[in-house]
């Protein structure tokens, strides 16, 4: 079969085989007006711009005679089938009896072709023989004589070979690298698209999505043709797909014939790079939907009826116009044809504005927008706010000629006819979206990153690249660096423990003006999914999610807050201490379970919030009081504090060497030129890529030695405390250690957590503990400050004081009542350390609990 | 060689000529730009080109060469146009090639038709910017720039007459008759005098202003600042549009297009929307914004465009050229007397407080010279506290600043203002444009925030957003534009001066408490006389001084670095509380601007000590203030 047949004789022959579907191409070929369409390579766009032919197209002829074959194209919407189906037409290929009996079997014969407005009005693809440059009239002749040299006018597409190649692709293509999420349920070793066709047969959705990348790896030339001449090649693909499908599943019932929807064309990714060369080509761009119009019914075929003789005719849309027949073919009355609206055919259409995604935009410019036209099924598939990848044909249309002036506005209007949508964030709320998460890394980039990872001092390098304008605080930067990398995600759902937290939470506290906010800002700017909130300004609702009624649709919509939005990212919370109690309580769930439960306004759900939290808090007394513990200084509940893996104090160190280095650093900041700075430090972009790469590709697991080292470390930590009768480590600390060690392994791009990772994790953890969990009274690191809010020594002191008081009272002999003030003074005189009133009262309370005494007003009675 | 009038009045004839000569190859475009570049280089040639800032559109000849100094307010989508097209005469079949560049409408003769299918057709791409005059541009900038404007008008009927009055605020004229007069004298003194009686124009301008808002349907021209006037313009850029950014200040030379056809096409399209689905792509709002009537928003097809470093007309536009170097060195030689005079002037303006005046100079020459990751370096926001409440003092301070800097705006921080005005630009998706806000300002604009006006009251959501945005602007020198689905960060470089009674609620780099030495019985009179007293030529020197010093480079030698280090360590040793890293930051900034203000591009030991001294004085004052009024701060 060289091409869709255009002569009745050939057609009849095919009917015998019963395999060739009557595509609209048949009718188009015959209908296409001679020598109208000319394509030039430099400006393909203008090919479509020519004015309408003045004479009505050949297809508008009388339906009687053999021409009827061509003039009644079988493009019916399914709803119209029973009404308009022309049983007598040979085009249906079905025997009248089979239809009359009403058996549902249809196959290729019964399945109507649905128009593809997305491919535009250029349904007049003519074929020409490459060798005979002859006039178009003898197309039919050439077609019959040669078969192979035929190409569609203006292109190098040979329909037959194109179809054949595509069929081969469908039948044979096996994706060697298949791992896309949509492959679930597919046998990877079987031809991929045959399975898809089977799916179509079962599900009944007559659309075949074809990944252009697959096509390219299969047949480069076919791919090129698809990109360059989509509006000729895609119908050919349709044809090929239908042939195969109905060959295999002749009994299948579909709404209409299968339409092929290519996606993922590599032509263009970015809206900004669209240029005049892309006109009429297949492109894929990404962006965000910002506006969608109402549904527009677009007339596909007009139905005209003669007012005089009731003769009817149909006229197809051509380049957006319907040419009204001026003369009735039947009775030759002029201007007697009237449009019958409800017998004309319409298709759905929608205008959508797509805006460049923020990541694609160069700094300092405003985003570009582009208009999309969606047709039929694709109408209302996307909502404003959706991030989509759109595959379609780029079009340029001249702005209409002003009829009164011969001048034309010299500007074209551009739009994209959508063929395929792919939402990029539809799964945002449900799971890790690999597609967007895995940034595209070029080979070279990966090479550079790997090279970097081999450097011995990569850890130090990266940490110094982090916020270079902030001076020193090496350990804090290292901590944040590990936080950026995160631990490995572990899933223990089957053992009933659910997901283990992989994210590392960090709290920075310290004097105001120690550039905590600056660090937070930096991190927020660095990570792709960072959120920045201030404790003062956020409410629980703003952090979590709230339910809103959409004013237009009256639909309940879940609006997500900062924590959910930073899923897989980092949520920076400034002024953590100023956050009110109820807001903070939301964080409890997020910081350990990594989920967020919502129950409001009829929506009950659990959202993922696998976010790391980087918080900054100021001390209550505006200045850090070194005589108090961390808890006392920042007044945060210890339940929350214990959920932070690392708590750092950012204090102003007071030593000369530090001051000197700080001064030098600051001075250099004030005169170095921008270029110098860039040389000195690693680029922010490299750092960002490095982290993104490690996060998505490196998943370290604990090695044997490392786990031993971790066990030892944990046992050691517990031992330290046990000697003094207190516990200095809890399982939470062990988990922290594991996470830190994993993150450190990730920094090295290592798949194994080794002892050095554990060493560093231990060091950092100890460092942070030293800063935040040191008991100011004893100078000993005491984890219970963080876990119970009171150090073990403090507890011990309290007990001792109570004992001392008891002794004091007992030494006074048998007095039933004591004066409160007197007792307090005596105790103070006796004790060698300062005793505050609070301490005294606490001791009294402790004794009262022991039923030793009661306090009534200003007297203390013994029992 | 065509005469002057030709390339000014009828640039199309030149383009056509070049096009006809080089038609098969595409380098005619380059030759056109080259030709005009050469032409404009000739002495004073730029002054011959009428400016759209100055001359009302209806005085300008369509399709003539104009210039326009503007800020890019918004960028529209790129458009495809017919770069080259062919017309055909249906009778004779004669084919003629035309160029579509620099045109809105593809022209063809009366008996010709455009052959849309010609193989000769070249589709090209161009970018449209929506430009507005530089927001907050001071009156003196306009006067001086266009005073030198040639009235040697090339055309006879369209005299680009001077029109400066129209852009000034009327109250300005009323309140400052003396100032106005003296400015004219000023421009007369400096640039070959062209003090023209402006009666002629005032009539015209008054008419213009009355008519334009009333006759046309109200079209929001989208100026960032309320009460701005002047033409907005659609600037079509043909080359390297990627190098321009939103808020850049440009000077463009190009062909003015006010073809009424543009508007006709519009209205037709609007009527036709119901019929043709192709046309309903854009909503009516979008239509209005993207193709407004040409009489209100003219189009300029850019031949040459350049980014401006500054808009001070007293300075050469580009400081790197040879002749401007001599200008700079000449000025630098007499720098110290200028500085002394300016200090004196500002001291008087600040009621005799020389310390505050010193800080005000430092503030006025500060500029963000680099960004270290997120941290902007070189911003120096001054909070002038202790300003008398509800007096006209702050207003006059602003008047004086307005006289000194090329662009400025006074933001009155009232509850009403904060709750109701638009600070942050936001994207209007219905009209597909960026709706401007007060904080969309060009680089180096002085923003004077008047907090003395603030009363107790309730801020609503907008108010909170506005205050946050203002705070972000001060701390990070960036504004997050609202794109409704996401926010986008636009870095900026705006000098913020906050006047307040107590310490401002906004963050600031440095708080200076005003200590008036003299309390004039009549503030109004005092301030006015101050402005009258200063000679126009001196005023111009102040202006040059402030603009020029901002552009100088600066460095610190190793030696001084060492000294600063030692100093810091020493101070910390004695009393760790006395100086923190923040203080060092600030002192270094003060030292930087102090050096620059004296024309020195490196830090010397003396300057460092002086900077420390200034800081000590300032801090002592704050301390004192705290003691006097325990509640404050």
């Amino acid at each position: 079969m060289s091409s869709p047949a255009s002569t009745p004789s050939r057609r009849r022959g095919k009917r015998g085989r019963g395999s060739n579907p009557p595509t609209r191409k048949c009718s188009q070929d015959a209908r296409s007006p001679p020598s109208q369409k000319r394509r030039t390579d430099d400006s393909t766009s203008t090919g479509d711009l020519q004015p309408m032919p003045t004479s009505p197209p050949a297809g508008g002829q009388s339906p009687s005679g053999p021409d009827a074959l061509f003039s009644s194209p079988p493009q019916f919407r399914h709803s119209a089938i029973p009404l308009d189906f022309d049983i007598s037409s040979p085009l249906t290929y079905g025997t009248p009896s089979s239809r009359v009996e009403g058996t549902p079997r249809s196959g290729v014969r019964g399945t109507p072709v649905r128009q593809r407005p997305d491919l535009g009005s250029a349904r007049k693809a003519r074929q020409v023989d490459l060798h005979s440059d002859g006039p178009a009239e003898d197309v039919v002749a050439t077609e019959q004589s040669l078969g192979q040299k035929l190409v569609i006018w203006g292109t190098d597409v040979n329909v037959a070979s194109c179809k054949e190649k595509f069929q081969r692709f469908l039948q044979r293509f096996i994706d060697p690298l298949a791992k896309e999420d949509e492959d679930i349920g597919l046998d990877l070793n079987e031809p991929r698209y045959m399975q898809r066709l089977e799916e179509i047969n079962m599900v009944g959705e007559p659309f075949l999505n074809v990944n252009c990348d697959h096509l390219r790896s299969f047949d480069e030339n076919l791919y090129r043709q698809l990109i360059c001449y989509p509006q000729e090649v895609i119908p050919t693909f349709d044809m090929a797909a239908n042939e195969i499908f109905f060959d295999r599943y002749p009994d299948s019932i579909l709404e209409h014939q299968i339409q092929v929807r290519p996606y993922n064309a590599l032509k263009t990714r970015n809206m900004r790079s669209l240029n005049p060369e892309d006109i009429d080509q297949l492109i894929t761009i990404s962006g965000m939907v910002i506006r969608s119009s109402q549904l527009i019914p677009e007339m596909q075929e007009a139905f005209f009826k003669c007012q005089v003789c009731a003769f009817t005719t149909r006229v197809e849309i051509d380049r957006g116009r319907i040419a009204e027949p001026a003369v009735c073919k039947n009775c030759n009355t002029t201007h007697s044809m009237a449009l019958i609206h409800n017998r004309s055919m319409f298709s759905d259409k929608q205008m959508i504005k797509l805006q460049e995604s923020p990541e694609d935009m160069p700094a300092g410019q405003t985003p570009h927008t582009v208009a999309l036209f969606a047709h039929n099924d694709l109408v209302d598939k996307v909502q404003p706010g959706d991030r989509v990848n759109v595959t379609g044909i780029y079009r340029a249309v001249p702005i209409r000629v002003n009829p009164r002036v011969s001048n034309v506005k010299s500007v074209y209007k551009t739009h994209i006819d959508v063929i395929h949508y792919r939402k990029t964030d539809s799964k945002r709320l449900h799971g890790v979206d690999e597609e967007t998460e895995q940034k595209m890394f070029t080979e070279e980039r990966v090479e550079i990153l790997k090279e970097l990872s081999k450097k011995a001092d990569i850890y130090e390098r990266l940490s110094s690249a982090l916020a270079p304008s902030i001076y020193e605080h090496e350990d804090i930067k290292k901590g944040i660096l590990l936080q950026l990398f995160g631990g490995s995600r572990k899933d223990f759902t089957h053992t009933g423990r659910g997901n283990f937290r992989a994210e590392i939470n960090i709290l920075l506290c310290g004097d105001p003006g120690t550039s905590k906010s600056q660090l937070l800002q930096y991190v927020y700017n660095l990570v792709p999914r960072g959120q920045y909130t201030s404790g003062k300004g956020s409410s629980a609702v703003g952090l979590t999610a709230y339910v809103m009624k959409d004013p237009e649709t009256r639909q309940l919509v879940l609006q997500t807050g900062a924590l959910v939005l930073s899923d897989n990212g980092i949520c920076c919370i400034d002024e953590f201490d100023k956050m009110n109690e109820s807001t903070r309580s939301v964080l409890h769930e997020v910081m350990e379970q990594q989920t967020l439960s919502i129950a409001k306004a009829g929506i009950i759900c659990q959202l993922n919030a696998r976010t790391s939290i980087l918080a900054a808090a100021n001390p209550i007394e505006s200045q850090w009081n070194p005589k108090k513990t961390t808890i006392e200084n920042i007044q945060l509940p210890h339940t929350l504090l214990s959920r932070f893996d690392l708590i750092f104090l950012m204090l102003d160190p007071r030593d000369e060497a530090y001051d000197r280095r700080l001064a030098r650093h600051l001075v250099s900041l004030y005169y170095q030129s921008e270029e110098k700075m860039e040389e000195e430090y690693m680029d922010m972009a490299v750092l960002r890529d490095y982290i993104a790469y490690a996060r998505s590709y490196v998943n370290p697991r604990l090695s044997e030695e490392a786990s031993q080292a971790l066990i030892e470390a944990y046992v050691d930590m517990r031992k330290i405390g046990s000697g003094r009768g207190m516990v200095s480590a809890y399982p939470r600390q062990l988990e922290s250690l594991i996470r830190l060690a994993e993150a450190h392994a990730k920094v090295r791009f290592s798949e194994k957590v080794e002892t050095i990772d554990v060493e560093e994790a231990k060091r950092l953890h100890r460092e942070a503990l030293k800063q935040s969990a040191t008991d100011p009274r004893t100078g000993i690191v005491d984890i219970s400050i963080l876990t119970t809010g009171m150090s073990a020594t403090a507890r011990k002191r309290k007990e001792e004081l109570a004992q001392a008081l008891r002794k004091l009272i007992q030494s006074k002999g048998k007095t039933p009542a004591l004066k409160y003030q007197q007792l307090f003074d005596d105790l103070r005189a006796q004790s060698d350390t300062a005793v505050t009133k609070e301490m005294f009262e606490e001791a009294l309370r402790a004794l009262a609990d022991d039923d030793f005494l009661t306090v009534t007003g200003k007297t203390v009675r013994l029992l | 060689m065509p005469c002057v009038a030709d390339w000014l009045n009828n640039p199309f004839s030149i383009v056509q000529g070049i096009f006809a000569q080089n038609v098969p190859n595409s380098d005619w475009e380059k030759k056109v730009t080259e030709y005009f570049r050469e032409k404009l280089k000739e002495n004073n040639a730029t002054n011959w080109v009428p400016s759209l800032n100055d001359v009302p559109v209806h005085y300008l000849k369509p399709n003539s060469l104009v210039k326009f100094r503007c800020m890019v307010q918004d960028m529209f989508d790129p458009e495809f146009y017919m770069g080259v097209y062919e017309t055909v005469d249906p009778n004779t079949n004669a084919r003629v090639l035309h160029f579509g560049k620099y045109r809105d409408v593809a022209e063809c003769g009366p008996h010709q038709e455009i052959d849309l299918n010609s193989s000769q057709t070249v589709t090209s791409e161009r970018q449209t910017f929506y430009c507005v005059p530089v927001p907050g541009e001071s009156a003196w900038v306009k006067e001086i720039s266009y005073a030198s404007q040639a009235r040697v008008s090339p055309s006879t009927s369209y005299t680009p007459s001077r029109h400066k009055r129209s852009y000034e605020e009327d109250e300005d004229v009323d309140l400052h008759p003396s100032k106005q007069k003296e400015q004219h004298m000023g421009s007369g003194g400096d640039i070959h005098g062209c003090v023209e009686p402006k009666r002629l124009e005032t009539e015209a301008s008054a008419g213009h202003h009355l008519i334009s808002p009333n006759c046309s349907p109200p079209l929001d021209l989208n100026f960032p600042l309320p009460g701005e006037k002047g033409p907005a313009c659609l600037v079509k850029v043909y080359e390297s549009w990627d190098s321009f950014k939103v808020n850049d200040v440009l000077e463009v030379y190009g062909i003015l297009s006010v073809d009424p056809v543009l508007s006709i096409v519009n209205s037709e399209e609007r009527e036709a929307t119901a019929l043709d689905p192709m046309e309903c792509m854009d909503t009516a709002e979008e239509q209005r914004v993207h193709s407004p009537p040409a009489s209100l928003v003219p189009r300029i097809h850019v031949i040459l465009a350049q980014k401006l470093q500054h808009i001070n007309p007293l300075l050469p536009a580009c400081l790197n050229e040879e002749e401007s170097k001599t200008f700079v060195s000449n000025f630098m030689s007499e720098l110290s007397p200028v500085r002394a005079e300016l200090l004196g002037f500002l001291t008087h303006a600040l009621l005799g407080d020389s310390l505050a005046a010193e800080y005000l100079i430092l503030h006025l020459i500060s500029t963000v010279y680099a960004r270290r990751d997120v941290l902007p370096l070189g911003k120096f926001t001054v909070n002038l506290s202790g300003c008398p409440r509800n007096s006209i003092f702050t207003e006059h301070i602003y008047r004086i600043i307005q006289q000194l800097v090329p662009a400025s705006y006074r933001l009155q921080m009232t509850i009403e203002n904060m709750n109701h005005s638009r600070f942050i630009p936001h994207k209007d998706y219905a009209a597909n444009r960026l709706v401007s806000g007060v904080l969309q300002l060009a680089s180096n604009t002085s923003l004077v925030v008047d907090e003395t006006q603030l009363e107790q009251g309730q801020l609503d959501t907008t108010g909170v957003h506005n205050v946050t945005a203002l705070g972000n602007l001060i701390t990070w020198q960036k504004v997050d534009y609202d794109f409704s689905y996401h926010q986008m960060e636009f870095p900026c470089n705006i000098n913020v001066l906050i006047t307040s009674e107590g310490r401002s609620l906004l963050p600031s780099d440095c708080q200076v408490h005003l200590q008036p030495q003299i309390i004039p019985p009549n503030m109004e009179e005092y301030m006015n006389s101050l402005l009258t007293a200063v000679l126009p030529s001196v005023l111009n020197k102040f202006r040059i001084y402030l603009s020029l010093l901002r552009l100088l480079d600066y460095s610190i030698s190793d030696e001084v670095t060492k000294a600063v280090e030692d100093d810091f360590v020493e101070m910390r040793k004695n009393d760790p509380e006395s100086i923190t890293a923040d203080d060092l930051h600030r002192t270094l900034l003060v030292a930087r601007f102090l050096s620059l203000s004296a024309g020195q591009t490196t830090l010397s030991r003396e300057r460092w000590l002086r900077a420390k001294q200034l800081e000590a004085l300032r801090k002592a004052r704050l301390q004192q203030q705290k003691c006097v009024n325990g509640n404050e701060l």
Side-chain angles (χ1 to χ4, degrees), chain A residues 42 46 50 291 351 353 355 361 364-365 369 404 408 410 412 468-469 525 656 660 664 669-670 677, chain B residues 77 80-82 106 116-117 119 242 244 246 268 272 281 286 372-374 429 488 565-566 569 585:
Chain A
D42 56 348
T46 54
Q50 50 158 3
R291 186 151 54 88
M351 199 277 286
K353 277 265 169 176
Q355 182 185 275
M361 237 170 10
Q365 304 206 346
T369 56
R404 264 159 279 171
V408 176
S410 65
Y412 297 104
S469 63
N525 278 309
E656 195 184 319
R660 186 169 293 280
R664 183 174 308 151
L669 209 60
Y670 277 89
M677 292 178 201
Chain B
D77 294 329
F80 293 170
Y81 68 99
M82 289 178 251
L116 291 167
N117 268 341
S119 60
D242 284 343
F244 300 118
V246 173
E268 296 250 324
M281 257 153 75
E286 195 171 340
R372 194 80 175 253
D373 39 72
V374 289
Y429 284 115
M488 213 160 358
E565 264 173 56
D566 288 341
V569 173
H585 256 286

Side-chain angles (χ1 to χ4, degrees), chain B residues 424-436:
Chain B
I424 315 160
H426 72 270
K427 181 90 172 179
D428 175 358
Y429 284 115
N432 197 14
R433 74 160 165 187
L434 189 66
V435 178
S436 193

